[in-house]
Amino acid sequence: QVQLVESGGGLVQAGGSLRLSCAVSGRTISVSTMGWFHQASGKEREFVAATSWRDRGTRYADSVLGRFTISVDNAKNSVILQMNSLEPEDTAVYYCARREGSLMSTNAGSYDYWGQGTQVTVSS
């Protein structure tokens, strides 16, 4: 079983930055993809970024490309989402998720483990 715990959310002004962390515990999965999704109030959960744990490949939603960076911290067994140039439209609950396999899917339904989420609020 895999457990995911997000942290680092908060309130920030437009143009600011936040660093989200996802602590991964439980059984180690050597072939897996880690993803970040967010869900704004009244909207569907949508893809933000993903990375292959093994080869560090990355994929980003068009809306965050160039502003957000996903990375893996092997020493701490964590997945990081560095968010820069934040916009009010980024306001949402951010979730860390895992899927088995190396395909960096944008489909939330293909991920089998989820954290409880951390709130990010960007004011204008």
Side-chain angles (χ1 to χ4, degrees), residues 12-18 67-68 82-87 90 122-123:
V12 65
Q13 293 184 354
S17 299
L18 284 173
R67 299 189 298 122
F68 292 7
Q82 178 65 48
M83 305 186 295
N84 299 325
S85 301
L86 283 162
E87 304 168 353
D90 297 318
V122 184
S123 65

Side-chain angles (χ1 to χ4, degrees), residues 88-100:
E89 292 75 19
D90 297 318
T91 295
V93 177
Y94 283 72
Y95 297 90
C96 179
R98 170 268 188 188
R99 71 179 301 276
E100 185 176 353

